[in-house]
Amino acid sequence: MLWSKALVPTLREDPRQAENLSHKVLLRAGFIRPVGSGLYNLLPLGLRVTQKVTRIIREEMNRIGGQEMFLTALSPRSLWDKSGRWDAFGDDMFRLVDRKGQDMALCPTHEEIMALIASRELRSYKELPQVWYQFQTKFRDEPRPRGGVLRTRQFTMKDSYSFDLDYEGLNRSFNLHHEAYSRSFARMGHRFFVVQASGGLMGAGESAEFMVQAESGEDVSFVCPGCDYRANAEVAEARPAAAPQLQAKREKIRTPGLRSVEEVSGFLGIETSQLVKSLLFMRTEKPLLVLIRGDYELSEDKLRRHFGTDLTPAQDEDARKYMGASLGFLGPQGVDIETYADKSLEGSDTYAAGANQDDHHVVGISLSSETNIREYLDLRAVKTGDTCPKCNANLEGKRTIELGHIFKLGTKYSEAMGATVTDEKGEERAIVMGSYGIGVERSMAALVDQHYKDDRMAWPVSVAPYEVEVVSLGEAEVSAKIYQGLRNAGIQAALDDRDITPGAKFADADLVGIPYRVIVGPRGLKEDKVDVKNVATGEIIQVSKQDAVTKAAELVARETKDAGI
RNA sequence: CGGGGAGUAGCGUAGCCCGGUUCAACGCGCCUGCUUUGGGAGCAGGAGAUCGGAGGUUCGAAUCCUCUCUCCCCGACCA
């Protein structure tokens, strides 16, 4: 690349709308440009990075036997009706109507179409397993795009789908993807870890997310410093801290105006852990009462996963209507409402709670004899410092970016689309599917987060837009020679041949982040020397101008080898 | 959708409360010329904005009022 002829529109200042690091850097370095909310053009350098990301993933997918295909991004409604997702996606789906009046969707994902192919083309268990994948533009009308290219409404996803005869096969396909993803992210230079996750809209089964820690992350992951427990906050569990048993006779006590756990426990002279929080939720059909220990918070995420998304916290009128008291004075005793309790309450039977009468609480209620708790579930929101469920160390919450997600789908889509094969007994069986995704542009953004240090970007060689940049400080001839030499040596090289001052060149170089730099200036050339710089470490090696190409090539090769899997 | 913030030249900003000869300005970038060249150069000259849009109030609106559009941030969703 000759810089003087290339489109690398760097910006001296942070654009107004950019707040997080990767967004600022990608914008300023001229990798991306906004078009609308959650819509970005990839400029030449941005494209080069995403192409390298793509190539790495493709190699690793092929290594596990994946077969690349390319499906349509546009699809008729009928497909989505079969799985029920025409409705399930709601406003997240971009919809349009074709000239014949047929409803169409811009695909947010491709389970349905892949399952359709499977239903048409796969006949026998002998053809399984299959792993099919593609790199495809996905369209999701996100409620809130953010962080530049971290969460957009149009993005490229590598999505793959596995087709197995049974769950044992699915486990193998899942594990293969786990491996392929680990290798891919490692090769890209991500410092990632894997967490347990929830399936969300996609399906039911087990799932894992590949995460990198980043300020701008949208997720919170809990990581145990003592063992290998790692989980997304959506599903993270924690052992309840031991709580003293409440020793009290059953008694109703006037607690005028005291609603919060702290106020009530303080007034009653008991621990917050000896109090039951009673949370009333409204659903379309009937209300739901959820109980949690006073010293913990409810995870609405978990609640919704158990009971569906049409839950809303009860208003004061609702509380009066169903429980006869205002919010803040509710209790589970003697109530005829579907009730579930968090596992944190299992440690004891005796608690204090609201009295279901305004300005009153009751101490000494018995969960086993006075309430009709249907089940104890994990409904608690884990927070930093909570006890690891596996080893008793203190969990740490970290903000993370989700690079990829793998999950076991089961037969939801194969059944919906009629994707079956004949098994060895001659019987039709629904194919067991898995689905696996990586956001390509997001990976680029996450790499900035991890490799931008001290006002300077240094891409890992594996994904760098170029491998070596020759900075010509008024030494056009020697620079051009080295640049040509690098290209002849098979190095992806850029030459900053612009007629601008050195400072401006260095500033742009730091922004763009080409990982190795050859600086050709009069100062070094007096002794026939040039500088070869490892941008990530800041290390500079002086070599003679004749050795510049070999030295730079050697550094590139070494990093490639070190990262190479 | 709830909450918060922002739209003024290509980019970043000031001006707005308190309407009017600093009201359309400043820095960067851009164009021309000369000088300069190891960390965002200097001098001189120049081009570039109906102040997001539409109404309104007023003798007069970037500034006040109403409506509206767009973008960003925080929350519910996801790669």
Side-chain angles (χ1 to χ4, degrees), chain A residues 90-102:
Chain A
D91 289 338
D92 286 3
M93 187 184 248
F94 278 107
R95 299 153 200 265
L96 48 126
V97 178
D98 73 11
R99 65 199 299 159
K100 286 178 283 187
Q102 187 180 197

Side-chain angles (χ1 to χ4, degrees), chain A residues 53-68:
Chain A
V53 166
T54 299
R55 210 192 74 191
I56 290 171
I57 300 169
R58 176 176 289 127
E59 286 173 7
E60 296 303 333
M61 286 306 300
N62 290 345
R63 192 198 296 270
I64 63 165
Q67 301 167 79
E68 186 168 1

Side-chain angles (χ1 to χ4, degrees), chain A residues 82-138:
Chain A
K82 284 185 184 159
S83 65
R85 285 162 117 195
W86 179 263
D87 295 324
F89 266 111
D91 289 338
D92 286 3
M93 187 184 248
F94 278 107
R95 299 153 200 265
L96 48 126
V97 178
D98 73 11
R99 65 199 299 159
K100 286 178 283 187
Q102 187 180 197
D103 284 330
M104 308 288 286
L106 288 172
C107 297
T109 178
H110 283 75
E111 280 80 9
E112 281 80 356
I113 306 193
M114 282 287 186
L116 175 74
I117 296 173
S119 75
R120 288 181 180 165
E121 316 301 340
L122 298 178
R123 301 276 95 93
S124 158
Y125 75 96
K126 293 175 185 166
E127 296 169 294
L128 302 183
Q130 294 279 328
V131 174
W132 299 340
Y133 76 96
Q134 65 170 342
F135 291 89
Q136 178 58 274
T137 303
K138 307 293 185 195

Side-chain angles (χ1 to χ4, degrees), chain A residues 258 376 397 431:
Chain A
L258 305 178
Y376 285 86
I431 299 173

Side-chain angles (χ1 to χ4, degrees), chain A residues 177-222:
Chain A
H177 275 86
H178 191 114
E179 240 173 74
Y181 276 36
S182 297
R183 296 176 67 101
S184 298
F185 294 131
R187 284 180 61 185
M188 290 175 211
H190 284 296
R191 295 187 275 270
F192 69 98
F193 56 92
V194 184
V195 304
Q196 290 177 32
S198 84
L201 239 192
M202 292 302 169
E206 179 187 347
S207 90
E209 288 168 331
F210 291 73
M211 296 290 199
V212 295
Q213 190 179 349
E215 280 298 310
S216 59
E218 300 180 86
D219 296 280
V220 172
S221 298
F222 285 94

